Amino acid sequence: ELETALEETLVAYEAAQYPGLDEEVLVEVTDDVAIKVRMPEDFREVRDGEYEAKSDASYILIDVSDSYAPERDLTQSEFEEAMEYMLEESGLNVETFEVTQFKDSEINGYDTLLIEMKYSIEGLEIWQIQFIIEADGSSCSIIYTTSPDLGWYDEFEASVNSIQVGVAE
């Protein structure tokens, strides 16, 4: 009974700490390193590593790669140029593009990069947050995509802030 009560208390504490977040997702970056991230309440997995909102076109992609993320080798201005080029090469008419945050950091000794960007394509304004973590030659990228009128940005930031890194013993 005590164990059940403790689990319920921990669940309630996490829910209060990250309001608007629901499902915990565990992502294996390597055989020894995994991350845990909480997804916004309205998001459900539709394919492996792809989450969509039930109510609109917002989505979250999680990608694990057996190599380092190329974004880690770029400066903010180089990243901006590469993104604009990629979007335009895709045949999209990019009207505005701005990186609002490009921050290197570390979680439990693993390098991370947080990129926040806003851009508009043919009148549609898009906001993205990209979180990248590197571990032992592999990387995991989580890309959150929404539009300002859909209201998910605060939940996306809370989801990024909920990320925990674990190492297998």
Side-chain angles (χ1 to χ4, degrees), residues 60-87:
I60 301 168
L61 299 175
I62 301 176
D63 180 57
V64 176
S65 174
D66 290 336
S67 62
Y68 286 111
E71 295 91 339
R72 301 269 313 141
D73 293 330
L74 301 175
T75 65
Q76 180 174 336
S77 61
E78 291 169 337
F79 175 80
E80 288 173 351
E81 289 175 21
M83 279 296 296
E84 286 183 76
Y85 177 78
M86 183 186 73
L87 291 167

PDB file of all heavy atoms in Angstrom, residues 60-87:
ATOM      1  N   ILE A  60       5.129  16.502 -33.610  1.00  0.00           N
ATOM      2  CA  ILE A  60       6.429  16.320 -32.983  1.00  0.00           C
ATOM      3  C   ILE A  60       7.081  15.117 -33.652  1.00  0.00           C
ATOM      4  O   ILE A  60       6.465  14.058 -33.781  1.00  0.00           O
ATOM      5  CB  ILE A  60       6.287  16.065 -31.466  1.00  0.00           C
ATOM      6  CG1 ILE A  60       5.563  17.235 -30.793  1.00  0.00           C
ATOM      7  CG2 ILE A  60       7.652  15.810 -30.831  1.00  0.00           C
ATOM      8  CD1 ILE A  60       5.117  16.952 -29.367  1.00  0.00           C
ATOM      9  N   LEU A  61       8.332  15.290 -34.079  1.00  0.00           N
ATOM     10  CA  LEU A  61       9.100  14.196 -34.682  1.00  0.00           C
ATOM     11  C   LEU A  61      10.298  13.883 -33.797  1.00  0.00           C
ATOM     12  O   LEU A  61      10.998  14.797 -33.347  1.00  0.00           O
ATOM     13  CB  LEU A  61       9.603  14.584 -36.068  1.00  0.00           C
ATOM     14  CG  LEU A  61       8.561  14.909 -37.123  1.00  0.00           C
ATOM     15  CD1 LEU A  61       9.238  15.384 -38.412  1.00  0.00           C
ATOM     16  CD2 LEU A  61       7.690  13.709 -37.396  1.00  0.00           C
ATOM     17  N   ILE A  62      10.540  12.602 -33.579  1.00  0.00           N
ATOM     18  CA  ILE A  62      11.710  12.165 -32.821  1.00  0.00           C
ATOM     19  C   ILE A  62      12.528  11.265 -33.734  1.00  0.00           C
ATOM     20  O   ILE A  62      12.024  10.268 -34.250  1.00  0.00           O
ATOM     21  CB  ILE A  62      11.304  11.398 -31.545  1.00  0.00           C
ATOM     22  CG1 ILE A  62      10.444  12.284 -30.649  1.00  0.00           C
ATOM     23  CG2 ILE A  62      12.545  10.911 -30.808  1.00  0.00           C
ATOM     24  CD1 ILE A  62       9.906  11.585 -29.415  1.00  0.00           C
ATOM     25  N   ASP A  63      13.792  11.632 -33.920  1.00  0.00           N
ATOM     26  CA  ASP A  63      14.665  10.879 -34.817  1.00  0.00           C
ATOM     27  C   ASP A  63      15.973  10.551 -34.100  1.00  0.00           C
ATOM     28  O   ASP A  63      16.614  11.436 -33.547  1.00  0.00           O
ATOM     29  CB  ASP A  63      14.955  11.691 -36.085  1.00  0.00           C
ATOM     30  CG  ASP A  63      15.855  10.940 -37.040  1.00  0.00           C
ATOM     31  OD1 ASP A  63      15.498   9.811 -37.434  1.00  0.00           O
ATOM     32  OD2 ASP A  63      16.941  11.470 -37.384  1.00  0.00           O
ATOM     33  N   VAL A  64      16.340   9.283 -34.119  1.00  0.00           N
ATOM     34  CA  VAL A  64      17.612   8.842 -33.561  1.00  0.00           C
ATOM     35  C   VAL A  64      18.502   8.436 -34.721  1.00  0.00           C
ATOM     36  O   VAL A  64      18.069   7.724 -35.629  1.00  0.00           O
ATOM     37  CB  VAL A  64      17.424   7.663 -32.585  1.00  0.00           C
ATOM     38  CG1 VAL A  64      18.766   7.148 -32.090  1.00  0.00           C
ATOM     39  CG2 VAL A  64      16.532   8.073 -31.414  1.00  0.00           C
ATOM     40  N   SER A  65      19.737   8.909 -34.680  1.00  0.00           N
ATOM     41  CA  SER A  65      20.682   8.631 -35.756  1.00  0.00           C
ATOM     42  C   SER A  65      21.967   8.049 -35.176  1.00  0.00           C
ATOM     43  O   SER A  65      22.370   8.400 -34.063  1.00  0.00           O
ATOM     44  CB  SER A  65      21.003   9.934 -36.507  1.00  0.00           C
ATOM     45  OG  SER A  65      22.016   9.715 -37.453  1.00  0.00           O
ATOM     46  N   ASP A  66      22.616   7.173 -35.944  1.00  0.00           N
ATOM     47  CA  ASP A  66      23.885   6.573 -35.516  1.00  0.00           C
ATOM     48  C   ASP A  66      25.072   7.485 -35.817  1.00  0.00           C
ATOM     49  O   ASP A  66      26.205   7.019 -35.907  1.00  0.00           O
ATOM     50  CB  ASP A  66      24.096   5.226 -36.208  1.00  0.00           C
ATOM     51  CG  ASP A  66      23.141   4.174 -35.697  1.00  0.00           C
ATOM     52  OD1 ASP A  66      22.658   4.303 -34.561  1.00  0.00           O
ATOM     53  OD2 ASP A  66      22.855   3.214 -36.443  1.00  0.00           O
ATOM     54  N   SER A  67      24.823   8.772 -35.993  1.00  0.00           N
ATOM     55  CA  SER A  67      25.896   9.727 -36.245  1.00  0.00           C
ATOM     56  C   SER A  67      25.601  11.024 -35.494  1.00  0.00           C
ATOM     57  O   SER A  67      24.503  11.224 -34.982  1.00  0.00           O
ATOM     58  CB  SER A  67      26.019  10.008 -37.743  1.00  0.00           C
ATOM     59  OG  SER A  67      24.826  10.592 -38.230  1.00  0.00           O
ATOM     60  N   TYR A  68      26.597  11.873 -35.442  1.00  0.00           N
ATOM     61  CA  TYR A  68      26.402  13.164 -34.802  1.00  0.00           C
ATOM     62  C   TYR A  68      25.494  14.033 -35.651  1.00  0.00           C
ATOM     63  O   TYR A  68      25.451  13.907 -36.877  1.00  0.00           O
ATOM     64  CB  TYR A  68      27.744  13.878 -34.588  1.00  0.00           C
ATOM     65  CG  TYR A  68      28.553  13.288 -33.461  1.00  0.00           C
ATOM     66  CD1 TYR A  68      29.718  12.592 -33.705  1.00  0.00           C
ATOM     67  CD2 TYR A  68      28.134  13.443 -32.136  1.00  0.00           C
ATOM     68  CE1 TYR A  68      30.456  12.044 -32.662  1.00  0.00           C
ATOM     69  CE2 TYR A  68      28.864  12.899 -31.099  1.00  0.00           C
ATOM     70  CZ  TYR A  68      30.018  12.207 -31.368  1.00  0.00           C
ATOM     71  OH  TYR A  68      30.736  11.665 -30.334  1.00  0.00           O
ATOM     72  N   ALA A  69      24.769  14.934 -35.023  1.00  0.00           N
ATOM     73  CA  ALA A  69      23.870  15.852 -35.726  1.00  0.00           C
ATOM     74  C   ALA A  69      24.695  16.928 -36.431  1.00  0.00           C
ATOM     75  O   ALA A  69      25.525  17.574 -35.796  1.00  0.00           O
ATOM     76  CB  ALA A  69      22.908  16.493 -34.739  1.00  0.00           C
ATOM     77  N   PRO A  70      24.480  17.131 -37.726  1.00  0.00           N
ATOM     78  CA  PRO A  70      25.262  18.133 -38.459  1.00  0.00           C
ATOM     79  C   PRO A  70      25.045  19.557 -37.941  1.00  0.00           C
ATOM     80  O   PRO A  70      25.934  20.397 -38.062  1.00  0.00           O
ATOM     81  CB  PRO A  70      24.784  17.988 -39.901  1.00  0.00           C
ATOM     82  CG  PRO A  70      23.487  17.270 -39.835  1.00  0.00           C
ATOM     83  CD  PRO A  70      23.521  16.451 -38.579  1.00  0.00           C
ATOM     84  N   GLU A  71      23.903  19.823 -37.336  1.00  0.00           N
ATOM     85  CA  GLU A  71      23.626  21.152 -36.801  1.00  0.00           C
ATOM     86  C   GLU A  71      24.646  21.567 -35.749  1.00  0.00           C
ATOM     87  O   GLU A  71      24.922  22.749 -35.568  1.00  0.00           O
ATOM     88  CB  GLU A  71      22.219  21.205 -36.166  1.00  0.00           C
ATOM     89  CG  GLU A  71      21.084  21.002 -37.130  1.00  0.00           C
ATOM     90  CD  GLU A  71      20.656  19.551 -37.277  1.00  0.00           C
ATOM     91  OE1 GLU A  71      21.465  18.638 -36.963  1.00  0.00           O
ATOM     92  OE2 GLU A  71      19.524  19.317 -37.705  1.00  0.00           O
ATOM     93  N   ARG A  72      25.225  20.587 -35.061  1.00  0.00           N
ATOM     94  CA  ARG A  72      26.183  20.880 -33.982  1.00  0.00           C
ATOM     95  C   ARG A  72      27.464  21.518 -34.511  1.00  0.00           C
ATOM     96  O   ARG A  72      28.175  22.154 -33.772  1.00  0.00           O
ATOM     97  CB  ARG A  72      26.531  19.601 -33.224  1.00  0.00           C
ATOM     98  CG  ARG A  72      25.363  18.908 -32.588  1.00  0.00           C
ATOM     99  CD  ARG A  72      25.065  19.299 -31.179  1.00  0.00           C
ATOM    100  NE  ARG A  72      26.269  19.310 -30.373  1.00  0.00           N
ATOM    101  CZ  ARG A  72      26.505  20.235 -29.450  1.00  0.00           C
ATOM    102  NH1 ARG A  72      25.648  21.182 -29.231  1.00  0.00           N
ATOM    103  NH2 ARG A  72      27.603  20.193 -28.741  1.00  0.00           N
ATOM    104  N   ASP A  73      27.759  21.338 -35.816  1.00  0.00           N
ATOM    105  CA  ASP A  73      28.977  21.901 -36.384  1.00  0.00           C
ATOM    106  C   ASP A  73      28.765  23.277 -37.006  1.00  0.00           C
ATOM    107  O   ASP A  73      29.691  23.850 -37.563  1.00  0.00           O
ATOM    108  CB  ASP A  73      29.539  20.958 -37.458  1.00  0.00           C
ATOM    109  CG  ASP A  73      30.026  19.650 -36.860  1.00  0.00           C
ATOM    110  OD1 ASP A  73      30.469  19.648 -35.695  1.00  0.00           O
ATOM    111  OD2 ASP A  73      29.955  18.622 -37.552  1.00  0.00           O
ATOM    112  N   LEU A  74      27.545  23.799 -36.935  1.00  0.00           N
ATOM    113  CA  LEU A  74      27.223  25.068 -37.576  1.00  0.00           C
ATOM    114  C   LEU A  74      27.092  26.189 -36.552  1.00  0.00           C
ATOM    115  O   LEU A  74      26.701  25.962 -35.418  1.00  0.00           O
ATOM    116  CB  LEU A  74      25.899  24.954 -38.347  1.00  0.00           C
ATOM    117  CG  LEU A  74      25.815  23.901 -39.451  1.00  0.00           C
ATOM    118  CD1 LEU A  74      24.401  23.860 -40.019  1.00  0.00           C
ATOM    119  CD2 LEU A  74      26.830  24.176 -40.544  1.00  0.00           C
ATOM    120  N   THR A  75      27.408  27.400 -37.000  1.00  0.00           N
ATOM    121  CA  THR A  75      27.093  28.576 -36.203  1.00  0.00           C
ATOM    122  C   THR A  75      25.622  28.906 -36.436  1.00  0.00           C
ATOM    123  O   THR A  75      24.993  28.351 -37.349  1.00  0.00           O
ATOM    124  CB  THR A  75      27.946  29.782 -36.624  1.00  0.00           C
ATOM    125  OG1 THR A  75      27.595  30.134 -37.968  1.00  0.00           O
ATOM    126  CG2 THR A  75      29.438  29.483 -36.512  1.00  0.00           C
ATOM    127  N   GLN A  76      25.085  29.828 -35.674  1.00  0.00           N
ATOM    128  CA  GLN A  76      23.688  30.202 -35.856  1.00  0.00           C
ATOM    129  C   GLN A  76      23.444  30.747 -37.259  1.00  0.00           C
ATOM    130  O   GLN A  76      22.477  30.363 -37.914  1.00  0.00           O
ATOM    131  CB  GLN A  76      23.251  31.235 -34.814  1.00  0.00           C
ATOM    132  CG  GLN A  76      21.803  31.645 -34.983  1.00  0.00           C
ATOM    133  CD  GLN A  76      21.303  32.551 -33.882  1.00  0.00           C
ATOM    134  OE1 GLN A  76      21.825  32.551 -32.774  1.00  0.00           O
ATOM    135  NE2 GLN A  76      20.268  33.322 -34.176  1.00  0.00           N
ATOM    136  N   SER A  77      24.322  31.608 -37.755  1.00  0.00           N
ATOM    137  CA  SER A  77      24.110  32.183 -39.092  1.00  0.00           C
ATOM    138  C   SER A  77      24.249  31.118 -40.178  1.00  0.00           C
ATOM    139  O   SER A  77      23.497  31.121 -41.158  1.00  0.00           O
ATOM    140  CB  SER A  77      25.036  33.368 -39.350  1.00  0.00           C
ATOM    141  OG  SER A  77      26.380  32.967 -39.287  1.00  0.00           O
ATOM    142  N   GLU A  78      25.176  30.172 -40.015  1.00  0.00           N
ATOM    143  CA  GLU A  78      25.296  29.083 -40.982  1.00  0.00           C
ATOM    144  C   GLU A  78      24.059  28.197 -40.968  1.00  0.00           C
ATOM    145  O   GLU A  78      23.583  27.755 -42.013  1.00  0.00           O
ATOM    146  CB  GLU A  78      26.546  28.235 -40.686  1.00  0.00           C
ATOM    147  CG  GLU A  78      27.850  28.945 -40.961  1.00  0.00           C
ATOM    148  CD  GLU A  78      29.061  28.193 -40.423  1.00  0.00           C
ATOM    149  OE1 GLU A  78      28.921  27.374 -39.475  1.00  0.00           O
ATOM    150  OE2 GLU A  78      30.156  28.425 -40.955  1.00  0.00           O
ATOM    151  N   PHE A  79      23.517  27.950 -39.784  1.00  0.00           N
ATOM    152  CA  PHE A  79      22.292  27.159 -39.670  1.00  0.00           C
ATOM    153  C   PHE A  79      21.141  27.873 -40.373  1.00  0.00           C
ATOM    154  O   PHE A  79      20.379  27.252 -41.108  1.00  0.00           O
ATOM    155  CB  PHE A  79      21.947  26.904 -38.194  1.00  0.00           C
ATOM    156  CG  PHE A  79      20.639  26.198 -38.008  1.00  0.00           C
ATOM    157  CD1 PHE A  79      20.547  24.827 -38.174  1.00  0.00           C
ATOM    158  CD2 PHE A  79      19.488  26.910 -37.686  1.00  0.00           C
ATOM    159  CE1 PHE A  79      19.327  24.170 -38.023  1.00  0.00           C
ATOM    160  CE2 PHE A  79      18.267  26.266 -37.533  1.00  0.00           C
ATOM    161  CZ  PHE A  79      18.197  24.896 -37.705  1.00  0.00           C
ATOM    162  N   GLU A  80      20.998  29.181 -40.119  1.00  0.00           N
ATOM    163  CA  GLU A  80      19.936  29.958 -40.765  1.00  0.00           C
ATOM    164  C   GLU A  80      20.032  29.851 -42.287  1.00  0.00           C
ATOM    165  O   GLU A  80      19.037  29.613 -42.966  1.00  0.00           O
ATOM    166  CB  GLU A  80      20.003  31.427 -40.334  1.00  0.00           C
ATOM    167  CG  GLU A  80      19.557  31.655 -38.910  1.00  0.00           C
ATOM    168  CD  GLU A  80      19.786  33.079 -38.428  1.00  0.00           C
ATOM    169  OE1 GLU A  80      20.451  33.882 -39.129  1.00  0.00           O
ATOM    170  OE2 GLU A  80      19.301  33.412 -37.333  1.00  0.00           O
ATOM    171  N   GLU A  81      21.236  30.054 -42.813  1.00  0.00           N
ATOM    172  CA  GLU A  81      21.441  29.968 -44.268  1.00  0.00           C
ATOM    173  C   GLU A  81      21.091  28.579 -44.797  1.00  0.00           C
ATOM    174  O   GLU A  81      20.430  28.445 -45.825  1.00  0.00           O
ATOM    175  CB  GLU A  81      22.891  30.311 -44.617  1.00  0.00           C
ATOM    176  CG  GLU A  81      23.244  31.770 -44.452  1.00  0.00           C
ATOM    177  CD  GLU A  81      24.723  32.034 -44.685  1.00  0.00           C
ATOM    178  OE1 GLU A  81      25.403  31.209 -45.348  1.00  0.00           O
ATOM    179  OE2 GLU A  81      25.207  33.083 -44.204  1.00  0.00           O
ATOM    180  N   ALA A  82      21.529  27.550 -44.104  1.00  0.00           N
ATOM    181  CA  ALA A  82      21.259  26.168 -44.540  1.00  0.00           C
ATOM    182  C   ALA A  82      19.767  25.865 -44.520  1.00  0.00           C
ATOM    183  O   ALA A  82      19.243  25.236 -45.454  1.00  0.00           O
ATOM    184  CB  ALA A  82      22.019  25.183 -43.650  1.00  0.00           C
ATOM    185  N   MET A  83      19.062  26.308 -43.480  1.00  0.00           N
ATOM    186  CA  MET A  83      17.623  26.064 -43.383  1.00  0.00           C
ATOM    187  C   MET A  83      16.862  26.802 -44.487  1.00  0.00           C
ATOM    188  O   MET A  83      15.976  26.223 -45.128  1.00  0.00           O
ATOM    189  CB  MET A  83      17.084  26.492 -42.016  1.00  0.00           C
ATOM    190  CG  MET A  83      17.314  25.477 -40.926  1.00  0.00           C
ATOM    191  SD  MET A  83      16.448  23.909 -41.196  1.00  0.00           S
ATOM    192  CE  MET A  83      14.742  24.415 -41.137  1.00  0.00           C
ATOM    193  N   GLU A  84      17.198  28.064 -44.694  1.00  0.00           N
ATOM    194  CA  GLU A  84      16.524  28.825 -45.746  1.00  0.00           C
ATOM    195  C   GLU A  84      16.753  28.173 -47.108  1.00  0.00           C
ATOM    196  O   GLU A  84      15.828  28.038 -47.903  1.00  0.00           O
ATOM    197  CB  GLU A  84      17.007  30.281 -45.755  1.00  0.00           C
ATOM    198  CG  GLU A  84      16.444  31.094 -44.603  1.00  0.00           C
ATOM    199  CD  GLU A  84      16.859  32.544 -44.672  1.00  0.00           C
ATOM    200  OE1 GLU A  84      16.300  33.283 -45.501  1.00  0.00           O
ATOM    201  OE2 GLU A  84      17.748  32.929 -43.882  1.00  0.00           O
ATOM    202  N   TYR A  85      17.983  27.756 -47.366  1.00  0.00           N
ATOM    203  CA  TYR A  85      18.311  27.098 -48.630  1.00  0.00           C
ATOM    204  C   TYR A  85      17.513  25.801 -48.786  1.00  0.00           C
ATOM    205  O   TYR A  85      16.919  25.542 -49.830  1.00  0.00           O
ATOM    206  CB  TYR A  85      19.817  26.822 -48.703  1.00  0.00           C
ATOM    207  CG  TYR A  85      20.234  26.090 -49.948  1.00  0.00           C
ATOM    208  CD1 TYR A  85      20.356  26.755 -51.158  1.00  0.00           C
ATOM    209  CD2 TYR A  85      20.481  24.714 -49.914  1.00  0.00           C
ATOM    210  CE1 TYR A  85      20.724  26.088 -52.315  1.00  0.00           C
ATOM    211  CE2 TYR A  85      20.843  24.040 -51.063  1.00  0.00           C
ATOM    212  CZ  TYR A  85      20.969  24.730 -52.255  1.00  0.00           C
ATOM    213  OH  TYR A  85      21.323  24.042 -53.401  1.00  0.00           O
ATOM    214  N   MET A  86      17.478  24.995 -47.722  1.00  0.00           N
ATOM    215  CA  MET A  86      16.758  23.723 -47.773  1.00  0.00           C
ATOM    216  C   MET A  86      15.264  23.941 -48.041  1.00  0.00           C
ATOM    217  O   MET A  86      14.663  23.240 -48.858  1.00  0.00           O
ATOM    218  CB  MET A  86      16.939  22.952 -46.459  1.00  0.00           C
ATOM    219  CG  MET A  86      16.280  21.590 -46.462  1.00  0.00           C
ATOM    220  SD  MET A  86      16.339  20.774 -44.865  1.00  0.00           S
ATOM    221  CE  MET A  86      15.131  21.729 -43.964  1.00  0.00           C
ATOM    222  N   LEU A  87      14.672  24.910 -47.361  1.00  0.00           N
ATOM    223  CA  LEU A  87      13.251  25.194 -47.561  1.00  0.00           C
ATOM    224  C   LEU A  87      12.979  25.663 -48.993  1.00  0.00           C
ATOM    225  O   LEU A  87      12.022  25.231 -49.636  1.00  0.00           O
ATOM    226  CB  LEU A  87      12.761  26.232 -46.546  1.00  0.00           C
ATOM    227  CG  LEU A  87      12.702  25.761 -45.095  1.00  0.00           C
ATOM    228  CD1 LEU A  87      12.503  26.944 -44.146  1.00  0.00           C
ATOM    229  CD2 LEU A  87      11.606  24.733 -44.899  1.00  0.00           C
TER     230      LEU A  87
END
